[in-house]
Amino acid sequence: MSFKRIAFNTIIPLLFLLGCKENTEKKISKEPKIELAQDSMDTVEIIPQDKEIDAEEFKLDEENSIQFFFDYQKDLKENKVKLTTSMGSFTVQLYDNVPYHKANFVFLTRQGYFDGTQFHRIVKNFIIQGGNADDDVTAGKRRKLGRYLLPPDTRKGYKHHRGTLSMPSSEINNPHKLASPYEFFIVVTKPGSYHLDGGFTPFGKVIQGMDVVDKINAVEVGKGDWPQQNVYIEKAEVIQ
């Protein structure tokens, strides 16, 4: 057999094999990549379908939170919460006909979420905003309870009078003004801040200790309206 004949018989199979490999690689490269979105509050955990989830592992999310609070508020008679802060205490009364926001606030109070959080945003003669803190403990509480938002409920006739308890909207991808459930603000403006009506959900009012709210609002603040003196919610408790 000639050299040319041997070379031809050797090269052709090699070219065929290389072509097959290239086609295989092209097919593999077309497979979509699966990426899991993450945020600063929580990480994604994949749970096998055959794994039984204990009641202790229950977390609120976008799919189960509305039904959960619908059921939670059915037999909920209590509508007052006392907040003891590092600057004194005050009491809020929650509106019965704003059921999801009322149930959420009572539930978080009973879970001890607000204990140890701060009034982290203070705007002079406007509002004090609480329910957050820049520590691992608060972030851990949120991860344990779950990640969810609440629908607005702005058509019950309540306005943002002075002393009104209302809920801020989440600022992330939120065209429908869904409420951030872990925070709240109290209006300090006299007689009120009515430009907020329709955009935020009033769900209660201060009925005792408004002087403490004013005292908190008088704290010196720095950049971003963060108070230079930490103002803690030492204890939140549901009362009769």
Side-chain angles (χ1 to χ4, degrees):
M1 181 180 295
S2 66
F3 176 78
K4 291 183 178 180
R5 182 71 174 176
I6 294 173
F8 179 81
N9 291 338
T10 303
I11 292 172
I12 292 302
L14 286 173
L15 292 174
F16 177 78
L17 291 173
L18 289 172
C20 290
K21 182 179 180 181
E22 182 179 357
N23 289 335
T24 303
E25 289 176 350
K26 287 182 179 179
K27 290 180 181 178
I28 293 174
S29 66
K30 291 179 181 179
E31 291 296 325
K33 294 182 179 179
I34 300 176
E35 297 180 354
L36 300 178
Q38 299 184 12
D39 61 29
S40 60
M41 183 188 299
D42 208 351
T43 56
V44 177
E45 179 184 1
I46 301 176
I47 301 175
Q49 292 183 355
D50 59 352
K51 178 181 179 181
E52 294 183 3
I53 301 177
D54 297 331
E56 294 180 356
E57 295 179 345
F58 174 79
K59 289 184 180 181
L60 289 165
D61 58 33
E62 294 296 336
E63 295 183 358
N64 65 25
S65 57
I66 297 302
Q67 185 63 49
F68 175 82
F69 287 119
F70 177 78
D71 294 335
Y72 191 86
Q73 58 85 33
K74 286 181 180 178
D75 300 318
L76 185 58
K77 305 300 182 183
E78 297 82 3
N79 65 353
K80 296 182 182 68
V81 174
K82 180 180 179 181
L83 294 103
T84 300
T85 80
S86 53
M87 299 187 71
S89 63
F90 61 90
T91 301
V92 298
Q93 180 176 348
L94 309 177
Y95 300 141
D96 292 326
N97 62 344
V98 190
Y100 295 113
H101 294 70
K102 171 189 173 183
N104 174 75
F105 199 76
V106 170
F107 172 74
L108 292 181
T109 297
R110 287 176 170 168
Q111 294 296 312
Y113 169 75
F114 294 115
D115 300 352
T117 59
Q118 301 176 28
F119 283 98
H120 58 282
R121 181 170 179 248
I122 295 175
V123 185
K124 297 298 180 182
N125 302 313
F126 180 37
I127 64 165
I128 63 172
Q129 184 170 331
N132 202 351
D134 57 348
D135 55 44
D136 294 336
V137 174
T138 301
K141 287 181 179 180
R142 293 189 180 199
R143 283 193 294 270
K144 182 177 180 180
L145 291 166
R147 186 171 184 268
Y148 63 102
L149 298 173
L150 293 177
D153 193 354
T154 61
R155 299 182 180 180
K156 298 297 173 61
Y158 297 114
K159 297 184 177 297
H160 285 83
H161 299 300
R162 170 175 160 82
T164 292
L165 179 68
S166 190
M167 194 168 286
S169 299
S170 173
E171 297 179 353
I172 303 175
N173 300 325
N174 189 21
H176 301 295
K177 289 285 187 178
L178 300 179
S180 177
Y182 292 111
E183 299 181 21
F184 62 91
F185 67 86
I186 299 172
V187 177
V188 177
T189 317
K190 298 178 182 180
S193 291
Y194 305 116
H195 65 285
L196 301 176
D197 296 347
F200 303 89
T201 300
F203 66 100
K205 62 182 179 180
V206 177
I207 59 173
Q208 185 177 355
M210 192 63 194
D211 58 321
V212 174
V213 175
D214 289 332
K215 187 177 178 181
I216 295 172
N217 188 249
V219 171
E220 292 296 324
V221 298
K223 186 177 180 180
D225 300 319
W226 191 278
Q228 294 183 352
Q229 170 190 349
N230 288 337
V231 182
Y232 288 96
I233 299 175
E234 297 175 347
K235 182 69 176 178
E237 51 193 330
V238 179
I239 60 176
Q240 297 294 332

